Amino acid sequence: MNRLLILFFSLSIIGCSKQKKIWDNGLTKSAEEITEFTIRIQEDSLKNEIRDTLLIAIKKYRDDDQLALQTRRTLFDNEQMEIEYIYDYFDGLKQEIVKMSADSLPFKVNYSYKNSLLFQSSGILDNETERFEQIETYYYRNDDTKEKSIMRQIFLDKETNDTIRNTTVSTYFNTDEKVDSILSINLRRQGQNRKAVYEFDGKNFIGLKEYNDTDSLLSNQKFVYKMDEFDNWTEKKVIENGLLKRIIIRVIKYK
C-alpha cells in the first residue's frame, strides 16, 4: 500500500470544520464530476519537451455537493486507489473506505465529532506482515474555525520488526480554513524534517516554499492558472525554481 498517498488525501481533501459542510470542492458552481490529469514536464538531451501523464484522478459528487467517490490511477505503475465516503444522519463525514489495487483488504478511516465539529480521524491496518496507524486530531479557534491539526503515522514491518515510518505532521490553517503551512517531523530519522509554507490569494494557492530542518529553502513553487467562464481553474502550471515541472488539466462536469 502506498501510504504516502493516504497521507496526501487526509491532508488535502478535508474542507470546512463545521459538520454540515465537511467537503468544499472550491468551485463557484455545483459539479457532478471532476477529472484531473497530472502531466510531468521534462526535457531530453536535445532540450525537446517531453510530457508524461503520471496520474488521473476522478472525483464524483452527490446531489448536495458532498464528495461521494474518488479514484486515483498512477500510470507509471498501473495502480489504483479508490476512496468511498460514508456520511452520517447529519451529513457529516463518518468514514472513508480506501481500496488499493495491490491490497486485498481496504483501509478504513473513521471520523468523530465534538459539538458538531470534526474532532478526530483514525485508521489502522493490521495484518500478518505489517501494521499501519494514522490518527489526526483537529483544533479550533474561539469562533470555531479550524486552527490546526496534528497527525501521527506509524508503519511497522512485522517481518523485520522495523519501524519504517514514525512521523508527526502538523497542519496550520488561516482564518479561511485554507492550509497555511505544514510541518512534518520524522521521529525516526534526523535531518528529514520538512516545513511547507503556502501562499494563498483568497481563492487559489499560488505558491509553495519547502524548507528543511535548518530553515534552508529546498524548493520554491509557483502556481499559474487558466480559468473557465465560471471562474474555476481548468489548468494549473507548477513552476519549480523557475522551471515548468508539471501541468494539471482539470475537466469539470457541471450540474
Side-chain angles (χ1 to χ4, degrees), residues 45-137:
S45 58
L46 299 177
K47 301 296 183 179
N48 296 314
E49 184 178 276
I50 301 174
R51 296 193 176 199
D52 186 18
T53 301
L54 300 178
L55 172 69
I56 300 175
I58 302 174
K59 300 176 183 179
K60 296 183 178 180
Y61 294 88
R62 308 192 313 178
D63 291 338
D64 61 358
D65 298 326
Q66 301 259 52
L67 188 57
L69 184 70
Q70 181 171 187
T71 59
R72 297 174 68 88
R73 182 164 65 93
T74 48
L75 276 64
F76 56 86
D77 58 6
N78 199 31
E79 287 198 9
Q80 179 167 302
M81 170 187 283
E82 178 183 283
I83 306 180
E84 180 184 1
Y85 302 94
I86 308 299
Y87 298 87
D88 61 22
Y89 179 79
F90 301 101
D91 287 333
L93 181 64
K94 181 180 179 180
Q95 187 179 71
E96 295 176 30
I97 302 175
V98 183
K99 299 177 182 177
M100 302 290 296
S101 57
D103 292 307
S104 58
L105 297 176
F107 178 77
K108 297 181 179 180
V109 180
N110 298 303
Y111 290 80
S112 60
Y113 298 83
K114 282 186 177 180
N115 299 321
S116 78
L117 297 175
L118 179 60
F119 167 65
Q120 196 171 76
S121 64
S122 62
I124 297 176
L125 174 66
D126 196 358
N127 55 37
E128 294 181 356
T129 61
E130 60 187 7
R131 179 179 175 87
F132 175 68
E133 297 182 15
Q134 175 179 291
I135 300 175
E136 186 168 13
T137 304

